[in-house]
């Protein structure tokens, strides 16, 4: 808890996380574990069950950054970076979101200008997990010649690169989220990701990462249920354990039902992905619905713990806060709902209808 309260990352556990052999997730070869999507999801949930920040650290490093190199990198880039990333000897982050472009990420303003021997990157990124200490940064920028999105591998000590920690977060406090400033950062040709030539290429990465993100709240609520179940048995009021009161039993069972339903929704997503049948709308529905149910479940847990439910010592309050950024990142609840609705109705409603000028008849 001390790291969460101080908003510091426990670097000493990185070797232990590396020893779990889950970094690199579903990637086959290059020293990566080659897990199935289902196995990777279960691993994500089990880490989140203990600590959501550690789960987010691995997810950013593995399902976003490492996965991007695997899907969009050259053979040389894969051989150079993936083995070290799989062991967590090298840490990576993934930079898409910008200060003015969150949900509307395709409108990003960071630019890449072709020069002799490489590219010059200029722009800003925001809310980038692991960015303050990452060894490599996956940065997406708009090619000034083609006006399309390209991807680049940027080294942490590159001249002109600056990463500053975002302070005062209420959730995932151990995750070192940062603001990235790129001022004429030179990236050699060998570090341009050849498989990223449009914004659609980022969707290949986001498809599987959105499934993994959906399993984070599943793990969180499993941990909260464990805590509440134990607390109900041990704490006594009016001469009886809290578990003996009907209203508490009802809340505990409602929590359990939510956990089971969330787990099954996540399981279904994994199987759809593995069969090649998962659609963007299904992934968005899973992520949005699961995070919504998680909020409800953790709120019930907070009620069951009474006054102790607002103390971070009992972990439920910590989980309550950690869920908030997860509810928002990888697509807010509302944006994910609109992605699913577009698939269901065939009508996109992301942008408001342009206001038209009408001539009054009066």
């Amino acid at each position: 808890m001390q790291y969460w309260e101080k908003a510091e990352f426990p670097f000493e556990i990185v070797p232990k996380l590396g020893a779990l052999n889950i970094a690199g997730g579903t990637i086959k070869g290059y020293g990566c574990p080659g897990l199935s999507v289902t196995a990777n999801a279960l691993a994500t949930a089990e880490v989140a069950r203990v600590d959501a920040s550690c789960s987010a650290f691995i997810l950013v490093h593995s399902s976003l950054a490492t996965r991007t190199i695997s899907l969009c990198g050259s053979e040389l880039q894969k051989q150079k970076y993936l083995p070290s990333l799989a062991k967590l000897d090298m840490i990576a982050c993934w930079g898409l979101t910008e200060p003015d472009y969150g949900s509307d990420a395709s409108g990003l303003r960071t630019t890449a200008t072709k020069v002799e021997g490489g590219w010059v990157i200029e722009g800003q990124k925001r809310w980038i997990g692991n960015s303050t200490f990452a060894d490599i940064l996956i940065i997406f920028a708009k090619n000034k010649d083609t006006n399309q999105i390209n991807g680049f591998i940027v080294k942490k000590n590159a001249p002109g690169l600056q990463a500053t920690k975002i302070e005062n977060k209420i959730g995932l406090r151990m995750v070192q989220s940062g603001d990235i400033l790129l001022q004429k950062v030179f990236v050699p040709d060998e570090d341009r990701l050849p498989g990223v030539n449009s914004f659609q290429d980022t969707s290949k990465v986001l498809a599987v990462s959105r499934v993994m993100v959906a399993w984070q709240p599943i793990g969180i609520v499993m941990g909260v249920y464990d805590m509440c179940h134990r607390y109900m048995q041990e704490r006594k009021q009016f001469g009886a354990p809290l578990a003996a009161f009907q209203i508490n039993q009802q809340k505990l069972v409602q929590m359990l039902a939510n956990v089971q339903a969330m787990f099954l929704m996540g399981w279904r997503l994994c199987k759809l992905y593995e069969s090649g049948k998962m659609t963007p709308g299904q992934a968005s529905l899973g992520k949005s619905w699961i995070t919504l149910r998680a909020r409800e479940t953790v709120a019930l847990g907070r009620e069951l713990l009474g006054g102790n439910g607002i103390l971070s010592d009992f972990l439920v309050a910590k989980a309550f806060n950690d869920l908030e950024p997860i509810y928002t990142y990888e697509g807010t609840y509302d944006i994910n709902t609109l992605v699913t609705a577009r698939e269901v109705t065939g009508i996109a409603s992301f942008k408001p209808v342009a206001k038209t000028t009408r001539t009054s008849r009066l």
Side-chain angles (χ1 to χ4, degrees):
M1 281 302 304
Q2 61 176 326
Y3 289 101
W4 191 88
E5 290 172 351
K6 294 180 180 179
E8 297 175 353
F9 187 79
F11 290 101
E12 64 270 22
I13 72 167
V14 172
K16 295 180 180 179
L17 291 173
L20 294 175
N21 196 32
I22 58 176
T26 58
I27 301 169
K28 292 180 172 59
Y30 308 98
C32 296
L35 302 173
S36 68
V37 169
T38 303
N40 196 26
L42 291 172
T44 299
E46 287 301 327
V47 175
R49 188 174 192 165
V50 177
D51 187 86
S53 291
C54 289
S55 174
F57 160 74
I58 293 177
L59 191 147
V60 169
H61 168 85
S62 184
S63 296
L64 288 172
T66 305
R67 183 73 174 167
T68 298
I69 295 176
S70 170
L71 287 175
C72 306
S74 67
E75 183 59 31
L76 186 62
Q77 289 169 341
K78 294 175 187 178
Q79 293 177 6
K80 181 178 179 180
Y81 294 109
L82 293 183
S84 296
L85 292 169
K87 296 177 182 178
L88 290 180
D89 291 337
M90 180 183 287
I91 305 301
C93 70
W94 200 77
L96 177 64
T97 301
E98 298 188 355
D100 295 326
Y101 291 90
S103 296
D104 185 16
S106 62
L108 60 82
R109 291 180 178 174
T110 298
T111 61
T113 304
K114 187 71 180 79
V115 296
E116 184 178 354
W119 301 77
V120 173
I121 313 297
E122 293 189 83
Q124 294 176 280
K125 300 292 177 181
R126 184 165 173 80
W127 296 115
I128 310 304
N130 303 349
S131 60
T132 60
F133 59 84
D135 298 295
I136 61 172
L137 304 83
I138 305 299
I139 297 294
F140 296 93
K142 188 167 292 185
N143 186 318
K144 293 187 78 172
D145 292 329
T146 66
N147 209 36
Q148 294 294 327
I149 305 301
N150 290 166
F152 302 87
I153 301 171
V154 180
K155 310 293 199 318
K156 70 174 179 180
N157 293 321
L161 173 67
Q162 180 181 342
T164 307
K165 177 182 174 182
I166 297 174
E167 302 284 358
N168 303 319
K169 295 189 303 176
I170 67 164
L172 296 181
R173 289 176 54 78
M174 292 190 335
V175 175
Q176 303 301 290
S177 303
D179 285 313
I180 297 176
L181 179 62
L182 301 114
Q183 295 180 301
K184 296 183 178 180
V185 175
F186 177 77
V187 179
D189 283 326
E190 65 187 44
D191 285 333
R192 174 179 164 349
L193 292 161
V196 182
N197 296 296
S198 71
F199 184 76
Q200 293 304 314
D201 291 319
T202 66
S203 299
K204 295 183 292 187
V205 179
L206 291 170
V208 70
S209 70
R210 191 155 289 162
V211 175
M212 295 305 118
V213 168
W215 278 84
Q216 281 188 287
I218 294 173
I220 291 172
V221 297
M222 288 194 297
V224 169
Y225 177 82
D226 291 341
M227 166 62 74
C228 292
H229 183 271
R230 184 167 64 251
Y231 188 87
M232 291 295 99
Q233 302 283 344
E234 296 174 354
R235 178 147 174 99
K236 294 183 178 180
Q237 291 290 293
F238 304 103
L242 293 180
F245 296 90
Q246 289 182 352
I247 193 167
N248 290 338
Q249 290 189 0
Q250 187 274 331
K251 290 179 180 179
L252 198 63
V253 170
Q254 186 176 344
M255 290 175 67
L256 180 60
N258 283 355
V259 172
Q260 296 286 351
M262 292 163 63
F263 192 98
L264 290 172
M265 173 76 89
W267 185 273
R268 175 64 174 158
L269 275 183
C270 290
K271 295 310 175 185
L272 285 169
Y273 187 93
E274 289 172 349
S275 66
K277 297 178 181 178
M278 189 189 76
T279 66
Q282 289 169 332
S284 290
L285 176 62
K287 194 271 179 178
S288 60
W289 187 86
I290 287 171
T291 51
L292 184 67
R293 289 283 78 77
R295 273 175 132 197
E296 174 188 294
T297 307
V298 173
L300 287 169
R302 203 220 67 71
E303 291 177 15
L304 285 175
L305 266 63
N308 287 330
I310 67 169
L311 297 176
S312 59
D313 309 50
F314 287 83
L315 302 181
V316 175
K318 173 177 173 291
F320 199 94
N321 287 340
D322 283 342
L323 266 175
E324 289 306 289
I326 298 174
Y327 183 73
T328 298
Y329 67 45
E330 287 276 358
T332 65
Y333 174 82
D334 295 323
I335 289 295
N336 274 309
T337 298
L338 295 181
V339 171
T340 305
R342 178 181 60 188
E343 197 167 285
V344 172
T345 66
I347 303 171
S349 59
F350 296 97
K351 296 181 179 180
V353 177
K355 186 176 181 180
T356 57
T357 303
R358 294 184 177 182
T359 302
S360 174
R361 294 183 178 179
L362 299 178

